[in-house]
Amino acid sequence: MKKILYICIGLVLIIGCANGQNKKDLKELRDSLDNVFFMGYVRNDTIMLKRALELSNYLLSVDTSNIGKRQCYYYRSRIFFSLGRMDEAMANGEHAVLTLQENNPLRLIFLSVKYLRENNKDSATYYIEKTNAVCDSSLNDEYNQDMAINKIKAIYLRDGEKNAKIYLSKLLRTHPSPFLKSLDKDWNEWVRMNNEELKLMNIKILR
């Protein structure tokens, strides 16, 4: 299976170089990166992950669109994280989120984590509070799942799991969506995964 994937990727690269980069070529390259990254990630296959890195290097040289750069840098960040190369993981993650709009909660949450890792509490507090404000503004108009989870993450980073769970329970009373019910059911696992990620990056929450 690996050999077949590598051959397919090679053919895509050759076609791209020979015919010039058009939208179809770039879509095929992005799809290949999706597949190689996913297979390497779920199988914890270092060889596949490094192959995805090589493909992302090529894509970054030919795809100048925000969506293309965001995909490459996001995957590179997750790969470096998996390989234990945290500085490179954070640097590529920052490149990815900087393609988003300034008030995008994903960008704000990432910058919150970045400054917590750098022990810059003032900047971390600023971005956490900005995340809360952006999410509140959206949630006051209508329920939005993405805004809800980002606010839960912001509260977790600022106050810890107890207050984050209190907010989740409050949300459930007004918006008992299947997603929030699932998150409530699997709360301990969500906390475990987030605690583990912060530990790997040597990050302490603000409280």
Side-chain angles (χ1 to χ4, degrees), residues 29-39 55 71 75:
L29 285 166
R30 291 174 189 158
D31 289 345
S32 294
L33 178 56
D34 282 337
N35 293 333
V36 177
F37 168 79
F38 178 75
M39 292 180 69
L55 183 54
Q71 178 197 34
Y75 285 154

Side-chain angles (χ1 to χ4, degrees), residues 7-187:
I7 291 169
C8 289
I9 293 168
L11 288 173
V12 171
L13 294 179
I14 292 168
I15 292 169
C17 292
N19 299 333
Q21 296 302 322
N22 55 40
K23 290 183 179 179
K24 183 179 178 181
D25 294 332
L26 292 176
K27 183 180 184 305
E28 289 177 352
L29 285 166
R30 291 174 189 158
D31 289 345
S32 294
L33 178 56
D34 282 337
N35 293 333
V36 177
F37 168 79
F38 178 75
M39 292 180 69
Y41 198 74
V42 298
R43 297 177 181 179
N44 196 27
D45 187 327
T46 301
I47 293 175
M48 292 290 283
L49 291 176
K50 289 183 177 179
R51 183 67 63 173
L53 270 181
E54 293 173 5
L55 183 54
S56 72
N57 284 335
Y58 180 80
L59 258 172
L60 284 172
S61 72
V62 297
D63 189 351
T64 58
S65 67
N66 269 350
I67 189 172
K69 290 188 291 186
R70 188 181 309 138
Q71 178 197 34
C72 287
Y73 283 123
Y74 171 75
Y75 285 154
R76 290 169 65 83
S77 177
R78 299 311 302 175
I79 291 167
F80 285 127
F81 184 85
S82 297
L83 298 174
R85 295 157 62 176
M86 297 305 167
D87 289 340
E88 290 165 287
M90 291 299 292
N92 279 271
E94 186 169 5
H95 283 309
V97 299
L98 290 180
T99 65
L100 300 170
Q101 294 182 342
E102 287 189 7
N103 281 343
N104 186 294
L106 292 176
R107 173 174 174 150
L108 298 175
I109 283 288
F110 179 89
L111 292 173
S112 302
V113 171
K114 165 186 163 68
Y115 288 116
L116 282 173
R117 185 169 187 261
E118 295 174 359
N119 203 29
N120 185 338
K121 292 187 176 181
D122 288 341
S123 293
T125 299
Y126 170 80
Y127 282 105
I128 288 172
E129 295 307 327
K130 190 169 183 180
T131 303
N132 283 327
V134 169
C135 291
D136 281 340
S137 178
S138 177
L139 289 167
N140 286 338
D141 292 332
E142 61 179 338
Y143 172 73
N144 180 294
Q145 179 174 297
D146 292 334
M147 293 295 180
I149 191 63
N150 279 299
K151 175 152 189 185
I152 291 169
K153 182 66 176 284
I155 294 173
Y156 162 78
L157 290 173
R158 184 188 64 190
D159 303 323
E161 62 184 83
K162 183 178 179 180
N163 282 356
K165 182 63 161 62
I166 290 171
Y167 180 70
L168 171 59
S169 299
K170 178 182 175 182
L171 271 179
L172 272 169
R173 288 194 292 271
T174 53
H175 303 287
S177 70
F179 172 78
L180 291 180
K181 289 179 180 178
S182 176
L183 179 58
D184 184 59
K185 179 181 178 182
D186 298 328
W187 180 252

